[in-house]
Amino acid sequence: MRIGLLGPLTVTDQRIPIGIPGEKLRAIIATLALASGMTVSSSALLDELWGEQPPRSAANSLQGHIARLRRALVQHSGKEEIRNVIRTSGSGYMLVLPPENIDASRFILNVELASRVKAREPEKAIVLLTNALDTWRGPALLDTGHGMICRTAAARLEETRLMARELLVEAKLALGGHYEVVSELEQLLSSHPLRERLCEQLMIALYRCGRQADAIGTFHRVRQRLSADLGLEPGPGLQRTMSEILRQGPSLLHEVG
């Protein structure tokens, strides 16, 4: 069985879709998938489904939802044994599924690996990151309710997605792809105008393309936005990049070979 969290929830068995009816059932299986191989306590699931004021019958309702979820897995897959993928464990429940069967886990592992190899193997990092980003089908955990576990995980996954795009740009810049990344960086910075790393990368790409004035203009726009929105000055990295551009420092140029 495989589970997709990077978009609307998907559950498949040997590529056959398994429909999970109802937001609460989707929230349960998503919460268990986020902690695959570990017990999620019943109290945590109750909080996820009903918040801080669950109804009196919530504990019994949770047991009923788990039973319905197991039945849905069996009915759609035609396999009685698939119900055992959700195991009652101690004071809660556990999803017995390898991390590689969950797209969010694979995504995080590939981003972490790409981060480790990008300095010495940028080509490999590009392949890893491109494949990882291609697994996204929409906003993470899109239809799994508004519980704290799923919403926190969604925010963390979206942040990792943005970090993966920054790493991908960094690897492309390392291979001399500054012309290639300018348009992508402009779009990213437009969506995330306070993201200083994106600003640095765009300034470097513009500078390498011979557009020093545009690089300087990018710095001042982000500086004004940081001051207006957060009351902050640019951080040391962005300040350093600006200084190097102003003095036309050779450290910003792409080193061939």
Side-chain angles (χ1 to χ4, degrees):
M1 191 173 86
R2 290 181 173 270
I3 296 177
L5 304 177
L6 303 179
L9 178 76
T10 60
V11 181
T12 59
D13 182 58
Q14 296 183 345
R15 299 187 180 181
I16 299 172
I18 297 177
I20 305 297
E23 187 177 276
K24 282 188 166 46
L25 296 197
R26 292 194 296 272
I28 290 171
I29 198 164
T31 301
L32 295 177
L34 289 166
S36 184
M38 297 185 290
T39 298
V40 179
S41 69
S42 295
S43 61
L45 287 168
L46 291 173
D47 287 344
E48 187 69 9
L49 298 182
W50 286 284
E52 296 180 356
Q53 295 181 319
R56 282 188 184 174
S57 60
N60 289 334
S61 294
L62 175 60
Q63 293 177 2
H65 287 320
I66 294 290
R68 285 180 58 212
L69 182 53
R70 286 168 170 155
R71 283 199 301 271
L73 295 177
V74 171
Q75 288 169 2
H76 284 84
S77 69
K79 298 176 180 178
E80 183 65 30
E81 66 274 14
I82 202 171
R83 68 170 58 248
N84 297 323
V85 76
I86 299 176
R87 181 180 299 169
T88 303
S89 174
S91 60
Y93 300 92
M94 175 191 300
L95 183 71
V96 185
L97 206 61
E100 59 267 24
N101 286 26
I102 301 166
D103 64 355
S105 299
R106 293 197 310 274
F107 171 73
I108 291 171
L109 287 172
N110 281 331
V111 173
E112 289 175 348
L113 178 56
S115 181
R116 292 196 296 269
V117 305
K118 65 178 173 60
R120 64 181 185 277
E121 298 179 89
E123 297 94 343
K124 182 176 180 179
I126 288 172
V127 172
L128 285 167
L129 292 165
T130 300
N131 291 340
L133 289 164
D134 283 348
T135 61
W136 283 73
R137 296 167 287 105
L141 298 154
L142 180 61
D143 55 351
T144 58
H146 303 284
M148 184 62 70
I149 294 173
C150 284
R151 292 307 95 206
T152 300
R156 185 178 69 248
L157 287 165
E158 293 289 352
E159 171 64 22
T160 306
R161 183 186 192 183
L162 183 54
M163 186 180 75
R165 297 188 72 174
E166 290 174 343
L167 289 171
L168 181 57
V169 166
E170 189 174 333
K172 289 178 177 179
L173 284 173
L175 294 174
H178 34 276
Y179 288 101
E180 175 188 352
V181 300
V182 166
S183 178
E184 179 183 1
L185 283 168
E186 287 175 337
Q187 292 175 13
L188 282 170
L189 191 58
S190 176
S191 300
H192 306 277
L194 303 178
R195 190 86 173 188
E196 292 192 37
R197 183 57 185 145
L198 291 174
C199 181
E200 284 183 59
Q201 290 178 326
L202 178 56
M203 289 169 65
I204 291 169
L206 289 169
Y207 180 70
R208 290 180 181 177
C209 292
R211 297 169 59 184
Q212 183 177 2
D214 290 335
I216 293 170
T218 297
F219 172 84
H220 285 300
R221 283 193 299 275
V222 171
R223 182 182 185 180
Q224 289 170 359
R225 190 68 182 266
L226 284 167
S227 177
D229 290 8
L230 302 176
L232 296 175
E233 284 294 308
L238 194 49
Q239 296 274 16
R240 197 161 43 244
T241 300
M242 179 62 166
S243 296
E244 285 293 290
I245 287 174
L246 289 174
R247 72 180 190 88
Q248 298 184 345
S251 67
L252 296 184
L253 297 175
H254 173 243
E255 296 181 5
V256 180

